[in-house]
Amino acid sequence: MDTTQFQAGLDRLAQPVLPLVRLVQLLFLMGPFATVTEVVAELNEPIETVVRYEDPAEALLPYLDLIEEFQRLKDTAPAPYSILDSEGNPLPLIEAVDWWVAQQVVTRELESINSLLCSPCGCSLCCVGPTPDLKQVFFSIPLKVEEVDLFVLPRIDTFDSRSLTVESEPPLIIGKGQPFYELGPGLYCWQSGWSMILPTGAACPHLTPSQACAIYPQRPEVCRRPQIFAYLIDRPFISVDFGPGQTFRQSGTILAIWDCPYVKQFQAEIAAYAELCDLEPVFKMNKA
């Protein structure tokens, strides 16, 4: 395969920003800096950590609003989130903030990297339901509340749906005794939040005949992150998005989905990205 059209994404994989973010945290805590912005302003010369950054301040600029969370450490302000270790014990503030910032930074970076790698593929694997040869009978696409209105599809928001998850057995029954996934594409409000259900043979209503997305600039968050995901922290229960005021657990992984053509093609580069971030790369199939 000619990788020229993927080069921008591969370059980003080869130079993750997280090691630089961690250096900023160290300098901020150890140095005479009142704000994180002051630290970044000082990084006007090339720096080499696990990789070389020719313009560190420029590389950090898209993440400045996220790394300002380090200010909490000097202010010793309580965090509106709690992160648990592998044994279920809350992490100290400094570690919790480190993991929180890392999750947000890597998530934002992978959104950009995924877009650069996904676009040249020209596939629609993330936009359609299962094919008849797969064991799954539906796929569930998680949505934020504010994204539901992007889709003109039947909505199910009932006591029963909110009492169950998409994986519950027996499944949610609709109407005259039918499992929800037999009713065609729809929007469902579950115990864990909203999702769009795409049964076998169905497609996202915004997938055009040319296999393009009709709402690409406004597409949901989940659609911006195929198929490499940041799981540095994870919820100890099923949910649809990260947010303040909640509890998470350490995970420390980068999850890549084998179904995706660019994940198969660039497995080594994705694994190297994770390792440069001191994270564990995990590869798995989503469709079987």
Side-chain angles (χ1 to χ4, degrees):
M1 177 189 291
D2 180 10
T3 62
T4 304
Q5 56 188 336
F6 298 95
Q7 197 57 53
L10 295 176
D11 289 345
R12 294 286 299 277
L13 281 174
Q15 194 177 60
V17 75
L18 186 57
L20 189 57
V21 168
R22 287 174 170 153
L23 175 62
V24 169
Q25 180 185 15
L26 178 64
L27 293 173
F28 175 63
L29 293 177
M30 302 295 292
F33 301 101
T35 67
V36 175
T37 304
E38 291 177 18
V39 181
V40 174
E42 293 289 321
L43 303 180
N44 49 24
E45 298 289 339
I47 289 177
E48 190 159 348
T49 57
V50 292
V51 295
R52 181 178 175 84
Y53 304 90
E54 294 297 333
D55 191 342
E58 182 69 20
L60 289 163
L61 191 59
Y63 310 95
L64 190 56
D65 62 316
L66 302 178
I67 62 179
E68 285 176 348
E69 177 69 6
F70 291 142
Q71 188 71 44
R72 186 180 302 280
L73 298 175
K74 280 199 172 179
D75 296 342
T76 62
Y81 46 83
S82 176
I83 299 177
L84 311 178
D85 64 18
S86 58
E87 297 180 352
N89 302 310
L91 293 176
L93 179 64
I94 187 170
E95 294 182 46
V97 171
D98 176 76
W99 281 100
W100 177 265
V101 171
Q103 170 69 37
Q104 312 310 314
V105 166
V106 175
T107 295
R108 183 174 292 180
E109 181 172 57
L110 284 177
E111 179 177 322
S112 176
I113 290 172
N114 276 305
S115 292
L116 291 169
L117 295 176
C118 181
S119 182
C121 288
C123 76
S124 58
L125 288 176
C126 303
C127 312
V128 298
T131 54
D133 58 305
L134 296 180
K135 67 179 182 181
Q136 293 100 327
V137 293
F138 69 89
F139 292 142
S140 177
I141 314 299
L143 298 173
K144 292 186 172 182
V145 173
E146 61 269 24
E147 295 169 343
V148 174
D149 286 341
L150 292 170
F151 301 91
V152 180
L153 287 172
R155 296 190 188 191
I156 303 297
D157 182 2
T158 65
F159 175 82
D160 287 342
S161 69
R162 287 176 175 257
S163 300
L164 300 172
T165 72
V166 71
E167 296 93 357
S168 291
E169 289 292 343
L172 175 68
I173 300 299
I174 303 294
K176 299 179 180 180
Q178 288 180 284
F180 68 93
Y181 49 79
E182 293 183 359
L183 299 180
L187 302 167
Y188 290 79
C189 188
W190 306 101
Q191 185 182 86
S192 54
W194 284 92
S195 75
M196 177 170 61
I197 299 300
L198 295 179
T200 299
C204 172
H206 294 300
L207 183 65
T208 69
S210 63
Q211 304 299 291
C213 176
I215 59 165
Y216 191 79
Q218 295 84 36
R219 68 197 187 281
E221 182 177 282
V222 67
C223 303
R224 298 172 185 270
R225 296 173 183 166
Q227 286 287 344
I228 314 171
F229 300 90
Y231 280 107
L232 285 71
I233 58 176
D234 195 9
R235 294 190 178 184
F237 52 85
I238 299 171
S239 195
V240 294
D241 66 338
F242 289 102
Q246 302 185 50
T247 300
F248 304 88
R249 65 167 182 258
Q250 279 180 295
S251 179
T253 61
I254 296 293
L255 171 64
I257 304 301
W258 275 122
D259 310 64
C260 178
Y262 66 76
V263 170
K264 290 181 180 178
Q265 178 70 19
F266 302 120
Q267 176 190 359
E269 290 83 353
I270 295 167
Y273 171 90
E275 289 161 9
L276 288 170
C277 294
D278 198 23
L279 302 169
E280 179 187 0
V282 175
F283 296 86
K284 76 169 190 176
M285 290 292 292
N286 187 35
K287 303 177 181 181

